[in-house]
């Protein structure tokens, strides 16, 4: 084995030793990354092309349908940063606002992530294993799910990984990477609030490892922080002025250890059925076997590996603790920036095993990932699935203009309407006049009978579409169950069901329309 | 040997665990224990009691380890001009003459002021009925060194040393096993510590230079590296470094005061150290490889050596409990208790390993709690413990070493029962050449465990279907099985393992270690040379 074929030879050593071979090598890496991109595209087209639009996606599309100023106003009332929507706004101008076209933007960010993921992996392992990491990322169930969702998560991954890469460059070379670091810090901060946990992790790492950085680094980091703060100031002012998303925070409960480990289960295995997920989580002791196998001579945790450990775990721990202590905001998709460091760490551990074991583990990883990806794509009880498409198609087929469709979470009206082309009136519970600006009215149990009476007036049947429980779904369900005759009930996805009630007896009940 | 190879070879004594890591580990050990013992709902009271007993032991060992390695750089007074007379003993009991000769020649070549030392071969070949005892005498004559051949048996190695001490008179003695070849600087680097009049003995690492010869030898060293790296360096500051039978220098007055080398125990070095410390003498550990010896290369020799160490150490707990010894400081008592008590690990491993099996067949559990709560307290704790272990041993501790340590549970339980019953065990010299054979009988408990675990999983599945509890317990059983596998493989007949490796083109553990030993650049240099 020539020395520069050694798995730990650096690119610089390689470049200096044989420029031609280095150029060929870069070309080879580019080709392999391209192949992985094609694989990811194939998965994107095959697995998720027919997937129904989800609530958040409908919201994104609705938000970008406004003018830039109008859109920024709406987003500043929401819990998200504006960069993704600005990019999406431009994107749909060129490519149209179909679900597929909008989702393609997320996919583009996934592909753009691959080179940075490779470079980040390359800081701790050889070329072969860094490429293997990207290969695994290309078939990662969780990444592929969000690469096909019209939301900012792959954009968050892109800026986070790029930012992590530049941070490791600073860590390794001290003078390199500052410009890239500053740019990705600012853009990442404008992508998602949870990008700040990535930065917080770097602060913690820096404070605990001051000796690994040059003294001037501190001033430079402060400089980047100041520039980022100045850039963000106008947005923060607007955000605070518009109520700091007081009414828009997702209604979440305090996270439990199950949620904590579920985040990592999602990162590695994607969204699986509750039963399978329970089994995966219960098998956590196997992690100990992995840790034991990782006890190998000379397998040292250098500063970059240590940083990757921080990047993979500290944000999740921080969010978990803050969600527990302050206010719940623990969602695995918000923490997606920890996914790539986690993959790199796993492949790094595998790459240090004996050759046969390492290849066997890699093959097992590919097999498992493919299997879970397939399950996630095809199973109807995928907990992240929201099948508004089929509920809209069914109601359009069944309901008449004498009926009424009631959405129990007012904002779910957007994804439903995306597919619904029937003539039946659509209302929400609690009643919400979308023509009027302002927040969605809060649910009131005392108002419920009055509002239902108002809705059922002049209608035969109510198609109650229940999803996204905001804490009052059960009250509505109980009210209808005790007051009206249930005609049919269908479950479309784990959290989306449609129940038809007969509410007016002026016309006989008909089961076939 | 190039500089890189040298650095890697002796990396074991350069580890440092940051204090924050040690402190955090102690805190987490207590937090983990408190949660397990007081916050989780107990399941079956017997199983819960056994689990808690095991956790108390883990807590003690874990906190004890952190306490030991808290400071590994204790400095002592050293006089490079120290030149008092030394008797160098090479203990022999039937080892091949060429091995003894190499050691004797190296001993003669040691550098010391005015060469004020005499080399003696302590030949026990006659009393042990070894064929080559006369060859050893001839060899000693040829080299012009003394040979003390015992005619009256008794006291094994300790008896051999005591016999020699009666026939020699220098104020200091240095002991080497027949296969431990000293470096020329040995005396120069060791004797200067005796400038402290209270210094009783000085120990140096028992390094194995044949570690790449077999999986067993490699693993034996990987285990030793942890002991001779962080643990002995840590014991140093507490005056609790103890003698390890070879590569050591002892003040005659100290050993005399302790009543000579203890002949009633098969761990004579350990017990004699205890008695010397009890008399108020100090000890020092020089963490530099100054002699290189041979590790047991085959499974049988390894097993016998481990059994001897375990049995001897447990005897100390049962019959000479350091806690009740007067004349020793608290730190010394704790260190002796930690070292000898370590061998009770086998009982705890057995309990922990049986918990999933009991669940499979009875459905009984030690605690009733969400397995994820257990995960959230256990995973950070074990991760930190392993990180602490690796940092303190300079990343020299390996999965094989862990596997052999955990898989020695049966050996340790056996030794514990034998010590408890006071069964007599003879001292067996570790073989210096590999013994071929089928030693699977030593892995029968492990094979039985695998069979029980697989059968149990099926049984539990038929009883309750695929539940979270079954998945968790099956995972624990798999962790145990994975940990046992290298031990079982080492016990398997050599030809069987070789044919398996050949069939699947798998390199042996020691081949891999050998290859990984040198970086590509070094390999290239080797090739060029």
């Amino acid at each position: 084995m020539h020395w520069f074929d050694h798995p730990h030879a650096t690119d610089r050593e390689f470049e200096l030793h044989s420029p031609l071979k280095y150029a060929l090598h870069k070309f080879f890496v580019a080709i392999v990354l391209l192949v992985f991109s094609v694989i990811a595209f194939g998965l994107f087209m095959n697995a998720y092309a027919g997937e129904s639009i989800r609530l958040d996606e409908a919201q994104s599309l609705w938000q970008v349908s406004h003018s830039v100023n109008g859109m920024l106003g709406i987003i500043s009332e929401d819990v998200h940063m504006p960069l993704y929507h600005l990019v999406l706004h431009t994107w749909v101008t060129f490519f149209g606002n179909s679900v597929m076209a909008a989702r393609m933007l997320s996919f583009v960010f996934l592909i753009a992530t691959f080179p940075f993921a490779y470079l980040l992996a390359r800081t701790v392992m050889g070329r072969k294993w860094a490429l293997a990491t990207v290969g695994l990322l290309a078939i990662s169930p969780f990444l592929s799910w969000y690469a096909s969702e019209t939301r900012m998560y792959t954009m968050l991954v892109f800026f986070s990984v790029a930012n992590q890469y530049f941070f490791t460059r600073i860590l390794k070379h001290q003078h390199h990477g500052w410009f890239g670091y500053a740019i990705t810090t600012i853009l990442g901060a404008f992508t998602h609030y949870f990008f700040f946990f990535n930065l917080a992790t770097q602060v913690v790492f820096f404070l605990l490892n001051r000796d690994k950085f040059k003294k001037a680094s501190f001033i430079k980091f402060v400089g980047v922080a100041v520039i980022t703060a100045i850039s963000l100031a106008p947005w923060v002012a607007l955000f605070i002025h518009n109520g700091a998303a007081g009414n828009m925070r997702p209604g979440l409960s305090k996270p439990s250890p199950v949620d904590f480990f579920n985040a990592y289960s999602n990162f590695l295995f994607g969204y699986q059925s509750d039963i399978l997920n329970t089994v995966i989580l219960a098998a956590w002791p196997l992690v100990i076997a992995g840790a034991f196998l990782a006890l190998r001579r000379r397998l040292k945790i250098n500063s970059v590996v240590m940083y990757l450990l921080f990047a993979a775990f500290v944000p999740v721990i921080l969010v978990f603790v803050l969600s527990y202590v302050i206010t719940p905001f623990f969602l695995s998709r918000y923490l997606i920036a920890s996914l790539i460091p986690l993959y790199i760490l796993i492949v790094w551990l595998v790459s240090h095993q004996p050759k046969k074991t390492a290849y066997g583990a890699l093959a097992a990883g590919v097999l498992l990932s493919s299997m879970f990806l397939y399950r996630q794509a095809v199973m109807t009880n995928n907990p992240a699935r929201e099948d508004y498409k089929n509920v809209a198609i069914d109601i359009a087929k069944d309901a008449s203009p004498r009926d009424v469709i009631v959405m129990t979470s007012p904002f779910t009206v957007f994804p439903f309407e995306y597919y619904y082309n029937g003539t039946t009136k659509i209302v929400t519970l609690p009643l919400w006049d979308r023509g009027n600006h302002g927040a969605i009215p809060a649910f009131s149990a005392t108002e419920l009978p009055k509002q239902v009476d108002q809705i059922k007036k002049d209608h035969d049947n109510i198609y109650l579409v229940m999803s996204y429980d905001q804490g009052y779904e059960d009250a509505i369900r109980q009210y209808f169950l005790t007051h009206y005759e249930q005609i049919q009930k269908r479950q479309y996805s784990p959290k989306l069901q449609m129940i038809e009630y007969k509410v007016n007896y002026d016309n006989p009940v008909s089961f076939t329309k | 040997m190039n500089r890189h190879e040298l650095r890697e070879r002796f990396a074991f004594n350069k580890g440092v665990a940051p204090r924050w890591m040690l402190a955090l580990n102690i805190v987490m050990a207590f937090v983990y224990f408190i949660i397990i013992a007081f916050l989780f709902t107990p399941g079956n009271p017997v199983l819960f009691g056994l689990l808690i007993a095991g956790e108390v032991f883990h807590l003690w060992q874990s906190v004890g380890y952190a306490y030991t390695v808290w400071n590994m750089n204790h400095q002592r007074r050293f006089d490079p001009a120290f030149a008092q007379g030394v008797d160098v003993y090479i203990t022999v009991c039937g080892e091949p003459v060429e091995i003894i000769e190499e050691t004797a020649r190296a001993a003669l070549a040691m550098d010391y002021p005015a060469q004020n030392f005499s080399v003696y071969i302590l030949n026990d070949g006659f009393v042990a009925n070894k064929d080559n005892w006369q060859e050893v005498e001839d060899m000693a004559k040829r080299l012009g060194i003394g040979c003390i051949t015992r005619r009256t048996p008794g006291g094994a190695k300790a008896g051999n040393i005591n016999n020699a001490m009666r026939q020699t008179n220098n104020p200091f003695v240095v002991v080497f096993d027949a296969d431990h070849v000293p470096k020329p600087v040995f005396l120069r680097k060791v004797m200067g510590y005796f400038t402290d009049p209270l210094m009783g003995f000085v120990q140096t690492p028992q390094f194995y230079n044949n570690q790449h010869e077999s999986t067993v030898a490699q693993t034996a060293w990987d285990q030793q590296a942890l002991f001779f790296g962080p643990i002995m360096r840590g014991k140093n500051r507490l005056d609790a470094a103890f003698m390890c039978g070879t590569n050591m220098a002892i003040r005659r007055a100290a050993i005399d005061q302790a009543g000579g080398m203890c002949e009633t125990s098969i761990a004579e070095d350990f017990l004699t150290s205890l008695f010397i410390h009890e008399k108020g003498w100090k000890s020092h550990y020089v963490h530099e490889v100054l002699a290189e010896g041979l590790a047991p290369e085959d499974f049988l020799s390894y097993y016998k050596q481990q059994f001897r160490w375990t049995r001897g150490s447990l005897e100390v707990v049962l019959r000479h409990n350091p806690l009740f010894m007067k004349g020793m400081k608290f730190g010394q008592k704790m260190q002796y208790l930690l070292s000898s008590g370590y061998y009770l690990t086998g009982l705890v491993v057995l309990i922990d390993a049986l918990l999933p099996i009991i669940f499979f067949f009875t459905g009984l559990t030690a605690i009733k709690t969400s397995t994820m709560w257990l995960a959230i307290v256990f995973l950070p704790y074990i991760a930190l413990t392993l990180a602490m272990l690796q940092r303190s041993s300079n990343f020299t501790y390996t999965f094989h070493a862990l596997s052999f340590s955990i898989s020695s549970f049966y050996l340790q339980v056996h030794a514990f029962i034998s010590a408890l019953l006071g069964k007599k065990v003879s001292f067996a010299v570790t073989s210096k050449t590999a013994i071929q054979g089928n030693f699977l009988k030593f892995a029968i408990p492990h094979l039985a465990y695998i069979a029980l675990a697989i059968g149990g999983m099926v049984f539990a599945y038929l009883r309750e279907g695929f539940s979270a509890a079954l998945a968790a317990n099956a995972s624990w059983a798999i962790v145990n099985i994975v940990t046992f596998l290298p031990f079982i493989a080492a016990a398997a007949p050599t030809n069987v393992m070789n044919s398996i490796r050949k069939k699947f083109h798998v390199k042996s553990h020691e081949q891999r270690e050998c290859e990984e030993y040198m970086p590509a650049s070094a390999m290239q240099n080797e090739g060029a040379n």
Side-chain angles (χ1 to χ4, degrees), chain B residues 83-95:
Chain B
Q84 293 190 40
V86 182
D87 290 324
V88 177
Y89 298 157
I90 298 167
T91 54
V92 169
C93 190
E95 290 84 353

Side-chain angles (χ1 to χ4, degrees), chain B residues 40 58 68 71 86 92 210 240 245 275 311 377 386 394 491 499 515:
Chain B
F40 285 171
H58 283 312
T68 304
N71 178 2
V86 182
V92 169
N210 65 333
F275 294 149
R311 170 69 202 265
V377 291
L386 292 178
N394 199 15
S499 61
E515 284 178 13

Side-chain angles (χ1 to χ4, degrees), chain B residues 295-313:
Chain B
E297 282 187 28
D298 61 274
F299 195 80
L300 181 65
S301 303
Y302 171 83
Y303 197 91
K304 281 183 176 175
Q305 185 192 57
Q306 291 294 314
F307 184 84
R308 184 161 58 85
W309 291 352
T310 306
R311 170 69 202 265
S313 299

